[in-house]
Amino acid sequence: MRPKIDEAFAMNQAIIFDMDGTLWDSAANVAESWNEAVKKEGYDYHFTKDDIMSVMGKTMDQIGDILFSNLPTTQRRSLMEVCCAEENAYLAAHGGELYPDLKETMERLKEQYDLYIVSNCQSGYIEGFLAYYHFGNLFKGHLCFGDTGLTKGANIAKLCKDQGIEQAIYVGDIQGDYDSTMEAGQRFIHAAYGFGTINGKVPKINSLPELLRVAPQVFKGDYSVE
């Protein structure tokens, strides 16, 4: 039996999702695409899934500073642009690993809430995800670092202001997601099946379908739910 969704809700409530470690795991295919990119550019790097997972959640500039720290800044930024372009094209063709029951869960949540995505990724990354899986009708909009140059917290706040959202839950998997949500003054649910942990006790889910039960409770102000 499917869990019931509370019918008493405000039209200006929204759930905003992180991408990596929350909606999907693209690390293996990102590593493949980056290896192709650096090889074409004549660099001697080789990335594994674990290498990519270790920097997911950071902005593209920060990732470049970590993975290409031996290169001058200008060269580093240029190589990052090539890697990001290759990554977008590769993921648009191959996708990633979706977390179980994503589509069904989003379809149920959409009955009650507007759904959005905010990520620290480059422009084109979210669009590739939506296009590959034909998920464009599930999400009302999205923002990312590549679009605005803003931090995740600032993008969450901007999205809420632009869309007239009075109450939002951000669903993410790492400490930076929680910190960004607090910066934006919104509520948070930890995707505990993802890549990271959160310092302190926060509402959490161990699978996406648990949002059907946990999100309404968090909107009511119950932050102890697990």
Side-chain angles (χ1 to χ4, degrees), residues 106-213:
M106 298 303 136
E107 287 173 341
R108 293 290 318 285
L109 289 171
K110 188 185 173 190
E111 296 170 8
Q112 182 166 352
Y113 308 108
D114 289 331
L115 308 181
Y116 298 89
I117 298 172
V118 170
S119 171
N120 273 336
C121 63
Q122 71 274 15
S123 297
Y125 185 84
I126 300 173
E127 291 88 341
F129 163 79
L130 296 175
Y132 184 82
Y133 294 105
H134 306 289
F135 284 166
N137 65 319
L138 297 179
F139 298 92
K140 191 173 181 181
H142 52 83
L143 277 181
C144 70
F145 172 79
D147 294 334
T148 66
L150 299 175
T151 65
K152 181 172 282 186
N155 273 328
I156 294 171
K158 175 176 171 56
L159 179 74
C160 290
K161 180 179 179 181
D162 291 349
Q163 298 294 331
I165 299 166
E166 293 184 359
Q167 291 184 330
I169 292 171
Y170 189 83
V171 183
D173 65 305
I174 63 173
Q175 184 67 39
D177 293 331
Y178 172 78
D179 294 340
S180 296
T181 306
M182 296 303 99
E183 177 189 335
Q186 297 297 340
R187 306 171 191 214
F188 180 80
I189 293 176
H190 179 214
Y193 53 83
F195 299 155
T197 59
I198 307 297
N199 294 327
K201 186 176 178 63
V202 297
K204 70 177 182 179
I205 55 172
N206 293 303
S207 66
L208 281 168
E210 291 183 19
L211 278 173
L212 299 170
R213 171 181 59 85

Side-chain angles (χ1 to χ4, degrees), residues 2 10-11 22 33 40 45 63 67 70 80 94 102 104 142 172-173 175 183 198-199 201 208 211-212 214-215 224 226:
R2 297 193 305 181
M11 293 300 292
T22 301
S33 69
K40 290 177 182 177
Y45 294 102
I63 292 172
L67 297 183
N70 61 317
M80 278 299 300
H94 300 280
L102 189 156
E104 181 183 42
H142 52 83
D173 65 305
Q175 184 67 39
E183 177 189 335
I198 307 297
N199 294 327
K201 186 176 178 63
L208 281 168
L211 278 173
L212 299 170
V214 175
S224 65
E226 294 188 9

